Amino acid sequence: GRVSAVHVPALVRLVGATDLDLAHNALRGTEGLHLLRGLASLTLDANPLRSLWGLVGLTSLRSLSLQHCTLSAPSVLLPLELLLELRTLNLQGNSLPPEAVTALQAKLPRCTILV
């Protein structure tokens, strides 16, 4: 979609953000969030997310909360394996198979994963 001139100042302010809370926004995907490269903490709780690929590139992300995001397919976790600086990941309230979480934990040994 197009970004109107009204939204440009808000986007410019977000580019310098280190913490961002987008909980309860009915987001279905994470497209465009990779542009916020300085982000250290991101909250996406209670969004019906279908894809997390938009998070790839957030190399400074240390904390990510995905509580109650209707995540259930193990494949949805694949992009998170690329977030090597992640230290805390909250997956509470999702229907992910335990083996998918265990596999992710093996890829991110320095990350505490809450389920």
Side-chain angles (χ1 to χ4, degrees):
R2 289 180 36 206
V3 176
S4 72
V6 173
H7 296 112
V8 172
L11 290 174
V12 169
R13 282 193 301 275
L14 284 179
V15 169
T18 57
D19 301 292
L20 184 59
D21 187 339
L22 294 173
H24 303 280
N25 275 291
L27 299 174
R28 292 189 190 335
T30 55
E31 297 80 15
L33 290 177
H34 68 281
L35 298 173
L36 304 173
R37 299 217 181 259
L39 215 53
S41 176
L42 177 60
T43 301
L44 295 171
D45 298 345
N47 283 294
L49 297 172
R50 295 181 184 152
S51 172
L52 300 175
W53 285 106
L55 301 178
V56 174
L58 293 178
T59 56
S60 61
L61 195 63
R62 296 181 63 76
S63 175
L64 176 61
S65 186
L66 298 168
Q67 292 185 68
H68 303 284
C69 286
T70 66
L71 304 176
S72 59
S75 60
V76 78
L77 298 178
L78 291 176
L80 301 181
E81 294 177 7
L82 303 173
L83 302 176
L84 302 178
E85 293 301 315
L86 204 58
R87 297 296 176 261
T88 305
L89 173 61
N90 192 334
L91 295 172
Q92 294 174 326
N94 292 291
S95 300
L96 293 161
E99 59 273 10
V101 176
T102 301
L104 180 61
Q105 183 70 69
K107 298 279 185 173
L108 299 172
R110 296 185 294 176
C111 183
T112 300
I113 300 177
L114 307 172
V115 287

